[in-house]
Amino acid sequence: MKRVNLAASLLAGTLLFQGLPAKAADQTVKLGVLTDMSGVFSDANGKGSVIAAEMAKADVGPIEGFKVEVVGADHQNKPDIGSSIARKWFDTEGVDVVLDIPVSSIALAVQRIAQEKDKIVLLSSSGASEITGKFCSENTIQWTYNTSALSNVAGRATVKRGDDSWFFITTDYAFGHALERDATEAVTASGGKVVGRALNPIGSPDFSSYLLTAQGSGAKVVALASSGGDMQTAVKQAAEFGLQASGQKLLGLLFDVTDIKGLGLEVTQGMYLSTPFYWDRNAESRAFSERFKKLHGKVPTMHQAGVYSATRHYLNAIKAAATKDTKAVLAKMRETPVNDVFAQNGRIRRDGQMIHDFFLVEVKKPSESKGEWDYYNVISTVPGDQAFQPETNCPRLAGQ
């Protein structure tokens, strides 16, 4: 055995002496999926986001000179915990990129750390439009949606269809106000009008007074500027009040396929939603979603599909650039169109926003659904350049 080791050592030394380096050990590319594993966003994100990243890793395949590892963690919807995990990942665990991050306040905290450490953040589940505005970072890409796109698509497309008067029921926190602000701009810019609003505290158990005010307003659209439990409670009670049966349209500004699954079509039928992804959109999305469902038991949400797309684009950039250097990888990501199950001809703007098409959908009636998860009728496609806000208010773009 000693003779073999000695021979191997002599061979390596000879190769180096002759200018032929021995094969170096593969570098590790480590992806950290920072998500909500047990709270209100765990259905839309959670373990499914980790599975989506693993699927993208498998689809990209081997990358010469690198081995790829995916890890996940629960930020418990708390900025201090999310920040602590991200800092540990960067400082001691070799994580190169952080993905997903539901809750914008956590995303902004992690973004600051990533900028300091020269790491990458790919956001699939943080919606604040300011992330690519006044808080933009050259190391962050907002991949799936933001409040501006959700609101812009819903506002412009519904007004165009004749639903031109709106009433907002808004959860009284930063995200709710951002949704209402952006939707108001879209509605009024399209020739519609906002006839009233009502603010509900976070975690409201009773929306009756807000719904009665909305019904009394005569608005054609009652828009819910909220998410999670508040959105679900409002939708359920709106059905009990017969809001849509009376002729008004209910619109959820951030509502996903898993929310419909939880509430049922009897409650959600007829609602308008805006989304960048629907699992049953075409043959490619159905094939991807069937694979995902076998692993997770559910079809992918827009957030999970976004994690898949961002992970795949990132790994393909490393493969093309033959390096995991942050600046080189980001440059390759920006110069390469995004073409996958999530986006066709998507592009990454200088401010870090990935631009792609959105859809306005209407939730099917129970009689229209052909089976489990068959929930949407796509009624309008909005091109990415019309869906997202213009490239403005990004300090790092000044002078470029």
Side-chain angles (χ1 to χ4, degrees), residues 272-293:
Y272 280 158
L273 314 171
S274 55
T275 181
F277 177 81
Y278 178 42
W279 74 270
D280 199 19
R281 172 79 174 148
N282 53 36
E284 185 183 10
S285 65
R286 284 190 288 274
F288 166 75
S289 298
E290 284 302 319
R291 288 174 53 209
F292 182 92
K293 187 180 176 184

Side-chain angles (χ1 to χ4, degrees), residues 227-249:
S227 63
D230 286 304
M231 175 73 76
Q232 293 184 18
T233 301
V235 171
K236 184 177 180 180
Q237 293 182 14
E240 293 170 356
F241 271 75
L243 186 140
Q244 295 206 103
S246 67
Q248 291 177 300
K249 271 287 184 184

Side-chain angles (χ1 to χ4, degrees), residues 73 105 114 125 139 141 144 158 166 170 176 199 235 241 258 272 286 297 300 304 311 325 338 347 356-357 361 373 379:
S105 58
S125 304
N139 289 29
I141 301 173
T144 304
T158 54
W166 281 46
T170 301
L199 289 175
V235 171
F241 271 75
T258 47
Y272 280 158
R286 284 190 288 274
Q304 293 157 348
T311 302
D325 173 76
V338 181
R347 61 182 179 87
H356 51 81
D357 293 351
V361 303
W373 303 106
I379 58 178

Side-chain angles (χ1 to χ4, degrees), residues 318-373:
I318 291 176
K319 182 180 283 191
T323 179
K324 68 171 187 175
D325 173 76
T326 292
K327 288 182 172 54
V329 171
L330 284 170
K332 185 61 67 174
M333 291 179 74
R334 290 190 176 102
E335 73 183 37
T336 307
V338 181
N339 284 298
D340 55 31
V341 71
F342 178 79
Q344 290 295 306
N345 295 315
R347 61 182 179 87
I348 300 168
R349 285 194 320 208
R350 296 181 306 160
D351 60 359
Q353 185 66 61
M354 204 274 273
I355 305 300
H356 51 81
D357 293 351
F358 258 76
F359 311 105
L360 180 70
V361 303
E362 185 176 29
V363 179
K364 290 182 175 182
K365 299 175 182 177
S367 59
E368 296 176 314
S369 177
K370 297 177 182 177
E372 187 181 31
W373 303 106

